């Protein structure tokens, strides 16, 4: 027999230890981490990890407790899409709404945050997503500090410096990660939770799918894990929680919420999308992006196949997200969307989206109890 | 409000109807399929689909009843890997073992089937996987008929002719599909069940991930759905069932079963694999394949990036699966594997793999009940 080995717990000594402070996920310890090899062999043959499905109830759910939300759901930080209107609608409906800083100039971003605050009901939290590789990331950080944004999610890069600046101020920081190594790193750096994003998600993506990423990260870190990528209904919530998540991040489904201000053509494209309607472009540049297939993605594919210069490929993308979101150009706009677009069939108020998703999830779990 | 629309039920009139014959999944009807638009709006706002998690118990599970197995688990039809030893071990352990016909000459395939029969305990079923695009597919079909193979799974192509030949003989036929359209087509053609395979799987893959493929197919067809891709433990089973599956197909995890006769180097490579250890090659040829990263995949990537002729890319692959499986060449062999390799930590008897996975799943569900 080959020596058993727990790949998700060989780095970092404490990650495999179940914490008394984590009632929702009381034991994520892999039995194969036992150091003594004979024990490891024995325990590997002993069926049954003590995995559990975390509670969806706010009082027992670590994500709800951390964020002060009614439901353990975060709205994705979609560039151009995630503005004050969407964020406040999601937060007012009991989730965590997020404004995407993207490459927004700081003065515009400040206006957006003030608008969100004016739209939020008393006591509702909201968040700011900062793309770390954006040229305006540092400026967005200072805006977050100035306006005491309660939650910051980060993407595309190492959030170390941001954690150092924000944690002493009491800001909750939740990085989006796409690998186990990243998850372990941000936990060490002091992240409050982590969003594990599978490659079925829309926009900038990694390579691992939700089905394999969520359980590995859930097992590798003690902080709560939020599952992103492919979640659009109650089935997805229960699956995410079965894989070890304690919350979900949902992007594509919220594009089709009534309060989302994207051009109606964009919403219609998501509604019309079927299972194989998305494409991945930008792989050759090292930063793959998932969008709905159209003339733009076909042209990207042609340039990438022909090994066009990176500058030419990048130039093709310039202004295309704006074209989709603002102008409703579904042919040449960048219709960023996850594979879950195929499961989005209607436009509803944010509140109805959230309550329906969690009612579905609760009904599935009630069926198990029955 | 945009007209609600159920994308998974617009083709085929009966697929959205819950069947009285399907107790495990009593209602997969999407409320947004209501034809009257005012009803659709109302029901879309009414939270809660009647989705349920199918029973894992053999007497209540449609896959167990169909196959006559103790557990709703099918072993993947991995070329070169899935032989008589592996198939009989999995079947004797209560799952459905599968022999991969791949490109095996018919006389050798017959020997393999006879060997499996000699190793099987009385009353245990087994299956044959036929790659429809293989030059030996028709010959494999005749072998299946001659030896009364109880179950045939098919991959990579349209199984219409095979269903016509096999169904009158009472053979259970379960195609592997990667899209909703394929699933609907094979249901119409008379398939007994369908295996929905996400792109996190190893070997030949599609583009949709398990997280989005399984729920769409479960909703689109009435026959039971088996979830494949990314399932390696009990968390994966519960997630798959939450997404609407009534069984799982597992490949990579069974490479590391004691009875699997692949070279020990291959097993060690799977055990050593981490989250980002796989690569996809062959995309430019239109038939992507997932393997563990090594010199071979790097060379594939180089040829594909350089737009080498298809013949040159195909020539590179020739004999490489044999090199991995038989010779244990981990540098230049084709180490086909799913992303779930990162979750495979030990080599166990097939029986222990299966009982552990289902004990884990039962424990997770028991936690929900508690």
């Amino acid at each position: 027999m080959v020596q058993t080995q727990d790949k998700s717990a060989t780095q970092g000594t404490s990650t495999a230890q179940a914490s008394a402070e984590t009632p929702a996920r009381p034991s994520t310890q892999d039995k194969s981490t036992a150091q003594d090899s004979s024990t490891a062999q024995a325990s590997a043959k002993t069926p049954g990890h003590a995995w559990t499905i975390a509670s969806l109830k706010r009082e027992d759910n670590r994500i709800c407790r951390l964020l002060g939300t009614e439901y353990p759901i975060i709205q994705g930080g979609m560039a151009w899409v995630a503005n004050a209107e969407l964020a406040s609608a999601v937060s007012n409906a009991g989730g965590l709404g997020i404004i995407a800083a993207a490459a927004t100039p700081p003065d515009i971003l400040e206006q957006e945050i003030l608008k969100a605050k004016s739209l939020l009901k008393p006591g509702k939290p909201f968040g700011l997503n900062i793309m770390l590789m954006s040229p305006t990331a540092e400026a967005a950080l200072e805006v977050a500090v100035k306006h005491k944004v309660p939650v910051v999610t980060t993407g595309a890069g190492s959030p170390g410096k941001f954690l150092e600046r924000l944690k002493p101020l009491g800001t909750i920081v939740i990085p989006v990660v796409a690998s186990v190594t990243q998850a372990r790193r941000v936990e060490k750096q002091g992240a409050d939770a982590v969003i594990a994003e599978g490659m079925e998600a829309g926009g900038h993506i990694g390579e691992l799918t939700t089905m394999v990423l969520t359980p590995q990260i859930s097992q590798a870190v003690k902080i709560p894990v939020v599952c992103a990528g492919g979640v659009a209904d109650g089935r997805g919530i229960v699956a995410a929680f079965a894989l070890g998540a304690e919350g979900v991040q949902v992007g594509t489904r919220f594009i089709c919420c009534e309060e989302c201000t994207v051009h109606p053509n964009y919403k219609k494209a998501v509604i019309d999308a079927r299972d194989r309607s998305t494409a991945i472009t930008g792989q050759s540049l090292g930063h793959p992006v998932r969008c709905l297939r159209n003339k733009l993605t076909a042209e990207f594919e042609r340039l990438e196949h022909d090994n066009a210069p990176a500058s030419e490929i990048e130039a093709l993308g310039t202004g295309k997200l704006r074209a989709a979101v603002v102008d409703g150009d579904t042919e040449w706009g960048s219709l960023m969307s996850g594979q879950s677009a195929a499961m989005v069939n209607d436009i509803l108020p944010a509140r109805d989206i959230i309550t329906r998703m969690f009612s579905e999830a609760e009904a599935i779990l009630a069926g198990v109890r029955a």
Side-chain angles (χ1 to χ4, degrees), chain A:
Chain A
M1 174 185 273
V2 168
Q3 176 64 43
T4 60
Q5 174 192 7
D6 178 26
K7 284 170 287 194
S8 62
T10 49
Q11 296 162 20
T13 53
S14 65
T15 53
Q17 294 298 329
S19 162
E21 298 165 356
T22 60
R25 189 150 43 92
S27 172
T28 53
Q29 181 173 18
D30 188 320
K31 303 230 171 144
S32 62
T33 57
Q35 287 160 345
D36 174 64
S37 75
S38 66
T39 312
Q41 288 192 20
S43 65
K45 289 190 180 181
T46 309
H49 286 266
W51 288 316
T52 57
I53 293 184
S55 174
L56 295 174
K57 292 195 202 322
R58 62 193 300 186
E59 61 273 20
D60 301 325
N61 182 285
R62 288 205 289 170
I63 292 296
C64 289
R65 291 209 311 250
L66 178 67
L67 302 176
T69 57
E70 195 176 343
Y71 299 97
I73 185 169
I74 300 176
Q75 163 239 315
M78 301 168 279
W80 281 92
V81 175
N83 58 12
E85 283 85 353
L86 180 58
S88 58
V90 171
S91 285
N92 285 338
L96 181 74
I98 298 276
I99 294 170
T104 313
D107 53 325
I108 310 285
L109 186 59
E110 287 199 64
Q111 290 171 25
E112 207 63 28
I113 287 172
L114 293 172
K115 191 197 280 184
K117 285 186 172 182
S118 75
L119 293 168
L120 281 171
K121 292 181 192 162
K124 294 294 185 185
F126 75 106
L128 181 68
N129 176 261
I130 304 180
M131 283 284 282
L132 299 172
M133 289 183 345
S134 162
T136 60
E138 302 266 353
L141 172 65
E142 295 313 320
V143 171
V145 170
K146 178 177 172 190
H147 292 278
K148 298 188 172 57
V149 174
V151 184
V152 168
T153 63
T154 64
S158 174
K161 261 196 339 196
F162 285 65
L163 280 155
E164 277 173 31
R165 179 98 169 89
L166 291 167
K167 286 312 300 167
L169 306 174
T171 311
I172 295 162
V173 183
I174 311 182
V176 179
V177 300
S179 74
V180 173
T181 303
Q182 288 172 355
R184 282 213 183 88
R185 187 193 305 135
V186 302
E187 179 180 54
K188 261 186 205 158
Q189 290 171 335
D192 295 283
V194 69
I195 298 166
E197 187 171 81
M199 60 81 77
E200 46 273 86
H204 292 270
I205 56 172
E207 62 182 90
L208 299 172
T209 75
T210 292
M211 194 76 173
V212 298
L213 183 65
T214 300
Q216 289 182 68
I217 291 186
S218 299
Q219 195 156 334
V221 300
K222 288 161 69 180
I223 52 177
V225 175
V226 175
C227 170
V231 181
D233 59 29
R235 298 172 295 192
I237 293 173
V238 177
F241 276 55
L243 297 171
E246 299 176 51
V248 292
Q249 179 176 283
V250 170
T252 305
R253 170 68 268 205
F254 282 123
I255 295 174
C256 291
C257 99
E258 283 183 4
E259 298 91 339
C260 178
T261 59
V262 302
H263 195 285
N265 292 355
Y266 196 153
K267 295 188 184 185
K268 183 172 185 307
V270 172
I271 301 254
D272 290 346
R274 290 175 180 257
D275 56 346
R276 298 185 62 200
S277 293
T278 73
I280 300 172
T281 61
Q283 203 115 42
S284 66
L285 304 178
H287 45 84
V289 171
R290 187 183 298 282
C291 296
L292 296 179
R293 275 185 219 283
N294 60 8
K295 288 183 180 172
L296 177 68
T297 63
E299 181 64 7
F300 265 120
E301 280 160 7
R302 191 186 68 76
L303 289 179
E304 295 195 72
H305 175 268
D306 293 349
N307 295 321
S311 57
E312 190 180 343
I313 301 172
E314 273 160 11
L316 177 63
T318 305
K320 294 304 195 295
L321 186 53
R322 188 188 189 287
V325 171
V326 180
D327 307 330
D329 183 348
T330 54
E331 292 193 340
W332 289 99
S334 179
L335 298 163
M336 289 190 185
S337 165
Q339 287 189 341
S340 67
M343 297 191 282
V344 177
N345 300 306
D346 47 20
I347 296 172
L348 293 174
R351 177 172 299 278
D352 292 357
I353 290 173
I354 294 175
T355 55
R356 184 163 80 179
M357 286 179 71
F358 282 92
S359 297
E360 289 165 350
E362 288 286 6
I364 293 169
L365 294 173
V368 173
R369 290 185 200 106

